[in-house]
Amino acid sequence: MAEKAQLELAVREQSERVRQMKDKNAPHDQISEELSKLMELKAQLETNDGKHQFILKTPKGTKDYNPKQMAIRAQAFNTIINCFKRHGAETIDTPVFELKETLMGKYGEDSKLIYDLKDQGGELLSLRYDLTVPFARYLAMNKITNIKRYHIAKVYRRDNPAMTRGRYREFYQCDFDIAGQHDAMIPDAECLKIVHEILSELQLGEFLIKVNDRRVLDGMFEVCGVPVDKFRTICSSVDKMDKMAWEEVKNEMVAEKGLAPETADKIGEYVQLNGRTELINKLVQDVKLSQNKMALEGLNDMKLLFEYLTLFGVEERILFDLSLARGLDYYTGAIYEAVLIQSQADMQTQQNENCEPVSVGSIAAGGRYDGLVGMFDPKGRKVPCVGLSFGIERIFSIMEQKMEAANQKIRTTETQVLVAAAQKKLLEPRMKLVAELWKSGIKAEIMYKKNPKLLNQLQYCEETGIPLVAIIGEQELKDGVVKLRVVSTREEIDVTRENLIEEIKKRTCQS
């Protein structure tokens, strides 16, 4: 036993050593060496009878979902998919892993979060980081220049997870994209309309959709004196303003990324601004920005975007925010991010009645990426694209919390009717009847006992939320009827076998 305890301690210490090396981004070969030592220690950790002792846990940054949680997820997926379909999208699927070269160089500083796989058959592979880059590869590979598609699938990020805030290493994304040559800002406005529709239907709480334009950002960096080779890295710093105070962001730019303090101060004058059409008009008149062609193009498109958003009736939830940067390298134009907000009063820190809403988390994001497909096309042919992505894990977490707070009962099955017996020795008639119901498309169950007690069968329906019970007994079999019982009211009616299917469908709102 002492030897086993020593091995267990050695495994824990080695695991912690590997974790620290990964957190510090140690060289890959050093991490591999320490991982090999860890595997050897685990192999030695066996019980006296020679059987391997399993550690029963899910990998870091992942989780299992029980039937109640999956039922809530299904509700969210249905709402999102129905909206995508309402806007005319078709769906595709792509492999969960891609060639490593397909993914590298597309995500800026986040490229370090890509999961690499071992060389398999001469190909260097990586797990997909998002659904956008695989979509662009799919378009270039199949020479598609016009499509409106949605894709719901898992993606993977070698991040330090904060699962309590809905951040995982494996999670679903729900993407909608419009590819093709279209007039300016019409597809962009529809994407924002879709975000508005879905968040309104899900009823997660108050939300705000922030928008900006990469051209405005890059033009702003240029007039402020940021060197061109620092645009993307400074953009990544600005993107942290929803989590950090401006002084912290400024310190990162200056101390870590070598930006001149006076340049950072000039950036600060712009990135702390937000508003709507009035702010856009003001910036169009700005002495510095108006002289920058790139910034002016972006501002004019933002002005057009707000005109279309007004026509769609969603402009009150949209905010032009110059601090929104979106760290990914592939964005070229409009960018946006939806956040859930709550007032200071909701956070029990209200000091006065006119408090500003506070962001409590990003829930959807997207933007325009006109150059990504061209990166994969042999001839560099560009296919303009704009899209959005919902992070389902955070949506699910909020829905689960709201249902628990409201003590809302969640059904984990869609069973419409339980076929029950009133007496013993009726297994055969029950099996025949449930088979008839299945054949007619009715969602039905029986209990897996030859002679279950009627009370137990009725209690099962109450516990699982099954709305109807089809009860058969010797007399019902003689009369050619079934006693249909409504579980919630305990009402019972005799229904002929010929009319049973229609009656069940009518009472469970099925045509």
Side-chain angles (χ1 to χ4, degrees):
M1 292 298 292
E3 184 181 350
K4 180 181 176 182
Q6 288 177 346
L7 274 171
E8 288 176 341
L9 177 61
V11 167
R12 287 197 295 272
E13 289 176 347
Q14 186 65 15
S15 296
E16 179 61 21
R17 187 175 296 113
V18 170
R19 187 190 67 77
Q20 289 179 356
M21 291 180 71
K22 287 181 176 179
D23 288 346
K24 293 176 181 178
N25 291 321
H28 188 267
D29 56 343
Q30 292 181 20
I31 295 175
S32 296
E33 185 179 341
E34 295 302 320
L35 269 174
S36 297
K37 292 178 183 177
L38 178 60
M39 293 300 105
E40 289 175 11
L41 286 170
K42 286 185 174 180
Q44 295 175 40
L45 187 61
E46 295 177 347
T47 56
N48 292 334
D49 58 3
K51 292 181 180 178
H52 180 70
Q53 188 176 37
F54 288 100
I55 300 171
L56 294 177
K57 65 182 286 293
T58 59
K60 183 180 178 182
T62 67
K63 65 178 291 186
D64 295 323
Y65 293 90
N66 63 41
K68 285 187 178 180
Q69 292 172 321
M70 289 303 294
I72 298 170
R73 287 168 72 91
Q75 289 182 31
F77 279 135
N78 288 340
T79 297
I80 292 169
I81 291 171
N82 287 339
C83 182
F84 289 166
K85 288 181 176 180
R86 187 162 64 239
H87 285 263
E90 51 195 344
T91 191
I92 67 166
D93 195 14
T94 61
V96 73
F97 47 81
E98 295 274 349
L99 295 178
K100 183 177 179 179
E101 65 177 21
T102 299
L103 303 182
M104 297 310 293
K106 313 299 189 303
Y107 303 107
E109 294 182 5
D110 284 351
S111 290
K112 64 180 181 291
L113 304 181
I114 293 173
Y115 267 112
D116 290 335
L117 304 177
K118 284 188 176 180
D119 185 341
Q120 297 291 336
E123 290 187 332
L124 291 176
L125 307 173
S126 298
L127 293 176
R128 61 188 173 203
Y129 176 91
D130 66 5
L131 300 178
T132 306
V133 171
F135 174 56
R137 189 266 307 155
Y138 171 84
L139 294 182
M141 184 173 152
N142 293 282
K143 296 181 172 57
I144 296 169
T145 57
N146 199 305
I147 190 174
K148 187 189 295 184
R149 83 85 168 89
Y150 74 90
H151 188 187
I152 295 178
K154 286 183 176 180
V155 299
Y156 299 86
R157 297 186 183 177
R158 192 171 54 84
D159 202 353
N160 282 322
M163 294 172 67
T164 54
R165 299 201 302 272
R167 291 179 65 89
Y168 299 84
R169 288 182 163 182
E170 176 193 63
F171 56 95
Y172 273 98
Q173 282 191 337
C174 306
D175 280 25
F176 174 98
D177 292 84
I178 301 170
Q181 293 283 352
H182 304 289
D183 286 346
M185 308 317 291
I186 300 175
D188 307 66
E190 183 171 10
C191 285
L192 290 166
K193 170 67 171 169
I194 288 169
V195 175
H196 188 283
E197 284 182 12
I198 289 173
L199 293 183
S200 298
E201 289 176 42
L202 289 172
Q203 297 182 343
L204 303 175
E206 291 296 309
F207 64 89
L208 185 69
I209 306 170
K210 301 177 183 179
V211 300
N212 198 0
D213 195 293
R214 267 291 173 82
R215 292 166 296 176
V216 176
L217 274 170
D218 287 350
M220 175 189 70
F221 291 151
E222 190 173 312
V223 301
C224 290
V226 178
V228 175
D229 62 347
K230 289 185 181 289
F231 275 17
R232 291 287 74 87
T233 187
I234 297 303
C235 188
S236 180
S237 294
V238 171
D239 197 41
K240 297 175 183 176
M241 283 188 62
D242 60 337
K243 306 178 187 71
M244 295 162 54
W246 163 245
E247 288 304 319
E248 294 177 88
V249 173
K250 177 186 173 182
N251 183 62
E252 179 180 297
M253 290 177 178
V254 175
E256 296 180 26
K257 299 185 176 180
L259 196 67
E262 58 272 18
T263 302
D265 287 335
K266 291 176 184 177
I267 293 171
E269 294 175 12
Y270 288 110
V271 296
Q272 297 179 78
L273 299 174
N274 60 65
R276 292 183 172 82
T277 305
E278 305 80 21
L279 175 60
I280 298 170
N281 290 333
K282 180 181 175 182
L283 291 173
V284 168
Q285 302 300 320
D286 183 271
V287 175
K288 295 177 182 177
L289 279 183
S290 62
Q291 300 302 312
N292 185 279
K293 182 182 177 183
M294 189 164 40
L296 198 57
E297 285 178 0
L299 288 168
N300 286 330
D301 274 354
M302 281 289 105
K303 189 174 181 180
L304 186 60
L305 177 65
F306 270 88
E307 289 178 16
Y308 294 152
L309 294 173
T310 302
L311 293 172
F312 280 148
V314 297
E315 78 288 348
E316 81 287 349
R317 293 292 182 99
I318 316 291
L319 186 72
F320 177 50
D321 189 332
L322 281 166
S323 72
L324 179 65
R326 303 288 297 139
L328 302 180
D329 276 4
Y330 52 64
Y331 288 122
T332 58
I335 50 176
Y336 36 86
E337 181 175 77
V339 294
L340 292 180
I341 56 175
Q342 63 186 97
S343 66
Q344 300 272 3
D346 293 335
M347 300 171 70
Q348 298 182 342
T349 57
Q350 185 181 21
Q351 301 298 322
N352 56 63
E353 293 183 2
N354 299 316
C355 52
E356 289 295 315
V358 177
S359 166
V360 294
S362 172
I363 208 159
R368 176 160 288 280
Y369 51 102
D370 289 347
L372 191 55
V373 178
M375 293 175 69
F376 297 113
D377 190 282
K379 296 182 179 179
R381 288 170 294 202
K382 291 186 177 181
V383 177
C385 296
V386 64
L388 61 93
S389 181
F390 281 89
I392 195 68
E393 310 306 335
R394 179 149 179 76
I395 290 174
F396 157 68
S397 297
I398 295 163
M399 290 177 69
E400 187 178 28
Q401 290 168 13
K402 288 173 75 74
M403 288 182 174
E404 285 178 359
N407 284 325
Q408 188 174 339
K409 192 170 182 180
I410 302 161
R411 281 199 68 191
T412 58
T413 72
E414 297 181 11
T415 305
Q416 297 163 266
V417 60
L418 177 78
V419 176
Q423 287 111 20
K424 292 183 178 180
K425 298 181 180 179
L426 292 175
L427 176 60
E428 185 178 321
R430 279 193 295 140
M431 293 182 79
K432 285 184 177 179
L433 179 55
V434 79
E436 289 176 23
L437 297 178
W438 288 335
K439 189 175 180 180
S440 299
I442 298 294
K443 297 165 184 171
E445 291 184 52
I446 58 170
M447 293 192 74
Y448 303 132
K449 283 183 174 289
K450 288 185 177 180
N451 299 305
K453 293 180 181 179
L454 182 59
L455 180 61
N456 290 345
Q457 295 170 91
L458 297 177
Q459 284 179 338
Y460 176 73
C461 291
E462 290 187 1
E463 290 168 2
T464 58
I466 298 174
L468 299 174
V469 190
I471 304 171
I472 51 175
E474 292 175 0
Q475 190 60 49
E476 283 79 15
L477 291 171
K478 287 179 184 177
D479 296 342
V481 299
V482 173
K483 193 176 294 294
L484 198 61
R485 178 185 175 102
V486 180
V487 175
S488 60
T489 63
R490 302 186 180 181
E491 169 199 358
E492 291 183 347
I493 59 167
D494 287 339
V495 183
T496 62
R497 294 289 284 258
E498 300 81 48
N499 294 328
L500 181 61
I501 305 296
E502 184 182 345
E503 189 67 27
I504 291 172
K505 287 183 176 180
K506 184 176 72 175
R507 288 177 176 269
T508 53
C509 301
Q510 284 212 353
S511 55

